[in-house]
Amino acid sequence: MTAMTPGSNIPLAVPRVTVDVQAPVRLDVSGLLLTVDGKVRSDDDFVFYNQPTGPGVSHRGGGGATPDGIVVDTAAVPAGIEKIVVTASLDAPGATFAGTEPTATVRADDGSVLATFTPPRLGSETALVVMEVYRRNGAWKVRAVGQGYANGLAGIATDFGVSVDEPAAPA
């Protein structure tokens, strides 16, 4: 098992992994399938609890002590997808990651832990790009990211090209 630091990466020796993200508070975990230009092809490439499957990627809902996770089957990811970004956002409105240490764990299908990553020094962030599963020269790797967003999951989604419906203005 490898304890990762921001920016570090490891090669994947297995074709299918789960990246789960756990914290002392409830998190919403999602995945975005990105092309070489760093954008989704359509909103269908945004995988989360309300849209739990995409090509080669699925959302695994947690419960109890089991955290939410994103399952990536690299053999089933379309050729045009270069990266799957795994994100975590806080479930409670107005909450930030200050004082919260989420940990991402990369597991093989047999449950063995390949790597862990805990983003350092979090503060006003309300959502995070935690890890990336990416293709480089035909081989798959995992990178620790830990990039925070103050504007929540909507900020991450729009940065990667997902259409986000704004809430209706009060009458």
Side-chain angles (χ1 to χ4, degrees), residues 17-67:
V17 295
T18 299
V19 179
D20 59 42
V21 187
Q22 189 161 18
V25 297
R26 177 84 178 110
L27 297 176
D28 289 326
V29 178
S30 58
L32 295 127
L33 289 78
L34 307 179
T35 62
V36 69
D37 68 356
K39 302 287 184 188
V40 295
R41 297 169 301 179
S42 74
D43 290 355
D44 292 339
D45 286 343
F46 182 35
V47 176
F48 63 111
Y49 62 91
N50 276 343
Q51 185 168 286
T53 59
V57 179
S58 60
H59 177 271
R60 186 205 65 211
T66 304

Side-chain angles (χ1 to χ4, degrees), residues 110-133:
D110 65 5
S112 62
V113 175
L114 305 175
T116 62
F117 172 58
T118 301
R121 300 174 304 280
L122 298 174
S124 63
E125 298 90 350
T126 57
L128 298 169
V129 171
V130 184
M131 298 189 102
E132 299 172 342
V133 179

